[in-house]
Amino acid sequence: MTNGLMPLLQLSDSQFPSGAFSHSFGFETYIQEDVVTGTESFKQALMVFLKKQLIYNDGLACRLAYESIENGSPEDLLEIDHVLFATCVARETREGNRKMGERMAKLFMELYPSTNLSEYLSWIKEKKAYGHPSVVLAAVYHSLDISKKVAVETFLFTNLSSLVQNAVRGIPIGQTDGQRVLVDLQPIVEEAVQIIMNLSSEDLGAGSPGLEIAQMHHERLNVRLFMS
């Protein structure tokens, strides 16, 4: 692969069938409880999600998985996979990540196959690994020769973009308002990347109790648009 830009744009597209379209990761609870009622409250909640959930869990896991492949230690992916699964308290979120991870691994093996991704997918099929999008994408980013910093930045922004599209349907907010939220969060994403780059593996799995409770409440909502 001589040009990583086009596949990177493809992987970041909100229309890419990653499965994220079906998940709110607790935001639907906030919507129904009137915690998130419009653009501004959604932006604040998304900022918390970025600073708590994405930095210390998914984003850091993406960096660590990338480094394990870069350092020739793909077996470390198993430990990262297990920590992500064990530290995810909410059942729906845990299962949602697992399903998305396996689905994405199979899809990427069709589009951008690599040895590391193939090995991770085989571990999932053999039930040695649970499957998680951050690990899958780290393997894909590395195979496409995308730098670690750009990989983490893309991973964070893609997660936020997916949630914005879900907010357009779920709150709802306007498409233009959703795009304004993404513009406003761009410098926060840059800050988040710098934080992730300076964290250690010991920081992986730090939780956010409020968000975890919202994720656990979701499965008991009377009406649900999303799976988690």
Side-chain angles (χ1 to χ4, degrees):
M1 182 64 64
T2 57
N3 183 2
L5 177 59
M6 285 187 283
L8 190 63
L9 291 172
Q10 181 184 18
L11 303 184
S12 307
D13 194 323
S14 61
Q15 300 302 313
F16 191 83
S18 65
F21 187 80
S22 302
H23 298 274
S24 79
F25 295 107
F27 274 82
E28 191 169 21
T29 301
Y30 288 141
I31 294 169
Q32 291 205 21
E33 292 179 350
D34 291 329
V35 175
V36 173
T37 58
T39 303
E40 189 58 34
S41 56
F42 170 67
K43 183 172 73 174
Q44 294 302 316
L46 200 58
M47 195 178 303
V48 172
F49 182 79
L50 169 62
K51 291 182 176 181
K52 302 297 183 180
Q53 174 69 30
L54 290 184
I55 285 180
Y56 293 98
N57 290 273
D58 304 44
L60 177 55
C62 184
R63 193 210 91 193
L64 294 173
Y66 188 105
E67 288 175 347
S68 71
I69 295 171
E70 190 175 41
N71 297 331
S73 305
E75 64 277 1
D76 291 343
L77 297 180
L78 272 179
E79 182 177 356
I80 297 168
D81 173 283
H82 291 178
V83 170
L84 286 169
F85 189 83
T87 56
C88 186
V89 178
R91 181 188 62 83
E92 281 189 346
T93 301
R94 188 169 59 246
E95 287 301 308
N97 280 324
R98 184 186 63 79
K99 291 176 182 177
M100 285 175 56
E102 183 172 5
R103 176 178 180 177
M104 290 169 68
K106 291 177 179 177
L107 178 57
F108 287 135
M109 277 304 297
E110 295 289 331
L111 301 175
Y112 301 111
S114 69
T115 301
N116 291 307
L117 182 59
S118 176
E119 187 172 25
Y120 185 53
L121 181 56
S122 70
W123 289 338
I124 295 173
K125 291 179 178 179
E126 295 166 6
K127 300 190 182 303
K128 294 179 180 178
Y130 296 100
H132 197 282
S134 61
V135 179
V136 172
L137 283 166
V140 176
Y141 292 144
H142 184 271
S143 71
L144 294 173
D145 291 327
I146 295 166
S147 72
K148 181 171 60 178
K149 182 179 182 295
V150 171
V152 173
E153 186 175 15
T154 303
F155 179 80
L156 295 180
F157 188 83
T158 301
N159 274 269
L160 297 179
S161 179
S162 295
L163 286 171
V164 165
Q165 292 305 311
N166 292 347
V168 168
R169 292 184 292 141
I171 296 175
I173 60 176
Q175 290 280 1
T176 301
D177 288 336
Q179 294 306 308
R180 286 198 186 101
V181 168
L182 286 175
V183 171
D184 290 344
L185 288 180
Q186 286 177 19
I188 313 299
V189 171
E190 289 290 340
E191 292 174 7
V193 172
Q194 294 304 317
I195 292 171
I196 289 172
M197 291 302 178
N198 291 306
L199 293 176
S200 73
S201 58
E202 298 298 319
D203 295 305
L204 181 62
S208 176
L211 180 61
E212 291 170 345
I213 291 170
Q215 291 171 343
M216 287 187 282
H217 280 178
H218 183 267
E219 63 181 287
R220 294 177 174 81
L221 296 180
N222 292 326
V223 179
R224 297 186 300 174
L225 180 63
F226 300 98
M227 293 175 62
S228 69

